[in-house]
Amino acid sequence: MDVVAEDTQQAAGDGKEKKGSFWKELPVLIVVALVLALLIKSFVVQAFYIPSESMENTLLVNDRVLVNKLVYHVRDIERGDIVVFSGVDSWEGEVPQEEPSNPVAGFFRWVGTSFGLIPGEKDYIKRVIGVPGDTVKCCDAKGRITVNGTPIEEKSYLYPGDVPSLSNFEVTVPAGRLWVMGDHRSVSLDSRSHQGDPGGGTIPIEQVIGRAFVIVWPFDRAKILPIPETFNQPALHAVGALGGAAPVLAGFAGAVPLIALRRRLRARR
């Protein structure tokens, strides 16, 4: 009986030690989890909070989306992509935000922004309509936006009752920039609203943070965010491919006469 009592007491003592060890290790586990989460957020995937109505009904206020930060390292940005980009030193925020009152509040805002709990101060989310070299115009005889002369059908994602644009415009997207628009055109402060800014309303590709590819919150709205079918028109890709090759073709076109002239001069000598 004495042996049994000693074993029981020893087992009870071991349980207390294990519990104590767990509570000692818990802060370390929390720190490691936060570091891993921040590394993933910085380089792979980040959650973003939707603060405005500019992308309704594709994205609603208070939705959370995941943004792929790696995708544009393996492929170019495509028309129809929904991108998150930084508007620091350029666009004004669509949703006014007060500055943190103290460093502690600033820290918690940074944490909330990092994990998609609150909106970023100058982060925007829009749909890419034009890529470098594209000519984007509003509108054709049927009221549709055209890209390189090809009309895009936007009913599948435009806010119900909205038209593609109430204002007329025509812009050729410069190299290294994008023309972006919100899906709720009547309230979206997008490229159309910034045509007087440097870049004519276009945004620098280098400011793009990544591609929003899925809604993760609320759960009843969870879904993938694909590129709409209208952007898969062969005419768009054909023109885009030609536009991308245009500088090279122009270079060859200019080089041929120069080479011929050089040969003639050599022959005369």
Side-chain angles (χ1 to χ4, degrees):
M1 294 294 291
D2 291 341
V3 174
V4 174
E6 286 178 6
D7 289 344
T8 303
Q9 289 173 2
Q10 185 176 357
D14 290 344
K16 289 179 181 179
E17 289 179 7
K18 288 179 180 178
K19 288 181 180 178
S21 176
F22 169 78
W23 289 111
K24 289 178 182 178
E25 293 175 357
L26 183 60
V28 177
L29 292 173
I30 291 174
V31 171
V32 170
L34 285 173
V35 170
L36 289 174
L38 287 174
L39 286 173
I40 292 171
K41 167 257 176 186
S42 298
F43 301 106
V44 185
V45 174
Q46 183 177 353
F48 279 87
Y49 173 98
I50 306 302
S52 75
E53 303 170 344
S54 69
M55 283 296 293
E56 290 181 340
N57 279 333
T58 305
L59 301 173
L60 303 182
V61 176
N62 298 325
D63 280 354
R64 270 72 166 181
V65 298
L66 291 185
V67 171
N68 186 335
K69 292 187 165 186
L70 293 178
V71 64
Y72 296 135
H73 293 287
V74 296
R75 75 161 174 85
D76 292 334
I77 298 174
E78 297 180 5
R79 305 176 194 91
D81 279 348
I82 297 174
V83 297
V84 172
F85 61 95
S86 171
V88 172
D89 299 326
S90 57
W91 291 13
E92 293 294 329
E94 291 180 315
V95 178
Q97 296 186 38
E98 295 182 2
E99 290 294 324
S101 56
N102 57 66
V104 175
F107 170 77
F108 281 107
R109 168 175 280 188
W110 174 79
V111 172
T113 301
S114 297
F115 292 98
L117 302 176
I118 61 174
E121 182 180 0
K122 282 292 186 73
D123 292 335
Y124 298 83
I125 186 164
K126 304 292 181 188
R127 190 181 298 278
V128 176
I129 303 298
V131 297
D134 283 348
T135 297
V136 185
K137 182 179 180 180
C138 176
C139 287
D140 68 2
K142 295 183 178 180
R144 300 170 298 183
I145 286 176
T146 63
V147 179
N148 302 320
T150 302
I152 53 176
E153 299 290 348
E154 303 188 277
K155 290 182 180 179
S156 66
Y157 57 83
L158 281 189
Y159 185 80
D162 270 9
V163 296
S165 180
L166 289 173
S167 59
N168 294 324
F169 60 86
E170 182 173 359
V171 61
T172 298
V173 183
R177 303 184 75 91
L178 304 168
W179 181 268
V180 296
M181 301 175 74
D183 289 354
H184 194 170
R185 299 285 162 79
S186 60
V187 301
S188 178
L189 301 178
D190 48 42
S191 288
R192 296 168 299 166
S193 304
H194 295 273
Q195 293 182 74
D197 297 349
T202 60
I203 65 163
I205 288 178
E206 63 187 19
Q207 299 257 9
V208 173
I209 296 168
R211 176 179 180 251
F213 67 98
V214 64
I215 300 173
V216 293
W217 182 264
F219 290 135
D220 60 353
R221 282 185 39 76
K223 63 179 180 180
I224 301 294
L225 299 170
I227 295 177
E229 189 63 30
T230 189
F231 292 99
N232 293 325
Q233 297 180 75
L236 280 177
H237 293 283
V239 173
L242 183 60
V248 178
L249 294 176
F252 276 113
V256 170
L258 289 175
I259 293 172
L261 179 61
R262 185 180 179 185
R263 286 179 177 175
R264 288 181 182 178
L265 291 174
R266 282 184 177 180
R268 289 180 180 177
R269 289 176 185 174

